[in-house]
Amino acid sequence: MTRIGFHANHEQVAPRQLLADVQHAERAGFAMAMCSDHLHPWSERQGHSGYTWSWLGAALATTNLSFGCVSAPGQRYHPAILAQKIGTLASMFPDRFWTALASGEAVNEVVTGEPWPRKEVRVARLEESVDIIRRLLSGEEVTREGIVNVRNARVWDRPDEVPALIGPAISPESAARVAGWADGLITVNQSHDKLREVLDRYGEAGGRGPRVLQVHLSWAPTQAEAEAIAWDQWRSNVFSATILGDVTEVATFDELSAHATPEKVAGAVRTASDLGRHAEWIAEYADLGFDDIYLHFVGQDQRPWLDAAGEHLLPALA
């Protein structure tokens, strides 16, 4: 049976409130939770971006949920430092934490002052970083030279087994590439045909582990309210992966979103006031072959959504 999780979005909600929200999500009946690891939000309208790793410790300690985090090693975080973070959380909370390792976005990574590499260099850097992180979490001492340099690194506190390192992919090409190293696949909602192709290419390339989907959605008591929430909060996130990866300033996302259309937003965010319609959409994604589906309500006030989901949506999906 497909499991349904809650996406805790740091870019839209202050960390103190988001901690209360994920506790609320557990009471509502969500089986698990995940989040991303950003320095900046996607828009001034979103207006938040707390430090994910501090928050994760509090969230794991105050709920019984399992958690995942999408993070980018190689520039803002040296992979040895990221391995230490993963090892600490996974040893404190056994079998409850996974990490998706991504090539990152410029808006978060260029704060180091280093140049933003070409896509192919970022992918190669990611793959080097994954190898370093996996070796460190396996107990090795690592020294190597390459795109990423490491000298005498060792992670002293880690779980007995390496926690899952998941591969994020939006395109079929990326899905095939991460299949070479990932313990599972995570992607985002797009057309059914594209999702089938992503899943197929991952499997054909030897991909293993769970198939995970993050679904952006908007709900409110009326259709007009649901559409207004999606438009306000998510119109700066409807661009291609290339644009999302290479833009360096939050203000630029807001400038670009001035040209977004309601149709474009509707294509990126499942929007309906009818929770039955949301249940149908989620069931369709489950039928495609996803093992875990994380729901990201794109509004900033999560409480009405969590109450409605707990009362109506999750029982319908069960």
Side-chain angles (χ1 to χ4, degrees), residues 95-301:
D95 302 318
R96 290 179 56 201
F97 183 65
W98 56 265
T99 312
L101 298 173
S103 58
E105 298 96 9
V107 71
N108 300 304
E109 307 303 322
V110 298
V111 294
T112 63
E114 299 173 9
W116 184 234
R118 302 185 312 276
K119 177 65 175 178
E120 60 268 27
V121 177
R122 302 199 304 269
V123 171
R125 180 174 68 181
L126 169 63
E127 291 171 348
E128 285 192 15
S129 295
V130 171
D131 178 66
I132 292 164
I133 290 168
R134 193 177 293 281
R135 289 171 61 192
L136 288 169
L137 291 174
S138 298
E140 293 185 40
E141 182 176 294
V142 177
T143 295
R144 63 167 291 167
E145 294 182 0
I147 301 174
V148 180
N149 296 320
V150 190
R151 181 177 177 180
N152 299 338
R154 182 177 174 186
V155 171
W156 292 82
D157 289 289
R158 59 189 189 279
D160 293 335
E161 296 185 3
V162 177
L165 303 179
I166 305 296
I170 295 175
S171 71
E173 295 75 20
S174 294
R177 182 140 188 172
V178 302
W181 60 261
D183 299 318
L185 170 76
I186 185 168
T187 188
V188 297
N189 61 286
Q190 46 192 324
S191 74
H192 284 21
D193 287 344
K194 190 68 170 289
L195 289 174
R196 286 190 193 96
E197 193 174 357
V198 167
L199 291 173
D200 288 347
R201 290 289 297 278
Y202 183 72
E204 291 164 0
R208 62 187 185 275
R211 276 65 167 166
V212 181
L213 178 68
Q214 183 192 91
V215 177
H216 305 301
L217 64 88
S218 185
W219 169 87
T222 70
Q223 186 66 22
E225 290 175 286
E227 291 173 358
I229 289 169
W231 173 254
D232 177 66
Q233 283 295 295
W234 216 245
R235 67 180 185 268
S236 53
N237 294 70
V238 299
F239 309 107
S240 69
T242 299
I243 292 174
L244 289 174
D246 288 340
V247 169
T248 60
E249 296 182 22
V250 175
T252 305
F253 284 112
D254 283 325
E255 291 171 8
L256 291 171
S257 69
H259 306 288
T261 64
E263 292 76 21
K264 192 76 171 176
V265 175
V269 182
R270 288 297 205 178
T271 304
S273 59
D274 180 2
L275 286 168
R277 187 70 186 103
H278 284 289
E280 291 172 359
W281 284 327
I282 295 163
E284 290 171 3
Y285 291 131
D287 288 343
L288 291 175
F290 287 101
D291 302 295
D292 296 340
I293 298 177
Y294 290 87
L295 306 183
H296 172 210
F297 168 63
V298 300
Q300 291 185 293
D301 185 358

Side-chain angles (χ1 to χ4, degrees), residues 66-85:
S66 61
F67 280 80
C69 175
V70 183
S71 191
Q75 188 154 331
R76 183 164 47 113
Y77 298 140
H78 190 282
I81 302 305
L82 189 51
Q84 184 188 31
K85 298 180 190 188

Side-chain angles (χ1 to χ4, degrees), residues 4-29:
I4 306 299
F6 170 73
H7 178 74
N9 204 49
H10 287 276
E11 299 90 88
Q12 294 180 275
V13 183
R16 181 176 179 180
Q17 179 59 51
L18 197 60
L19 182 61
D21 290 341
V22 79
Q23 295 164 353
H24 191 165
E26 182 178 34
R27 294 192 299 272

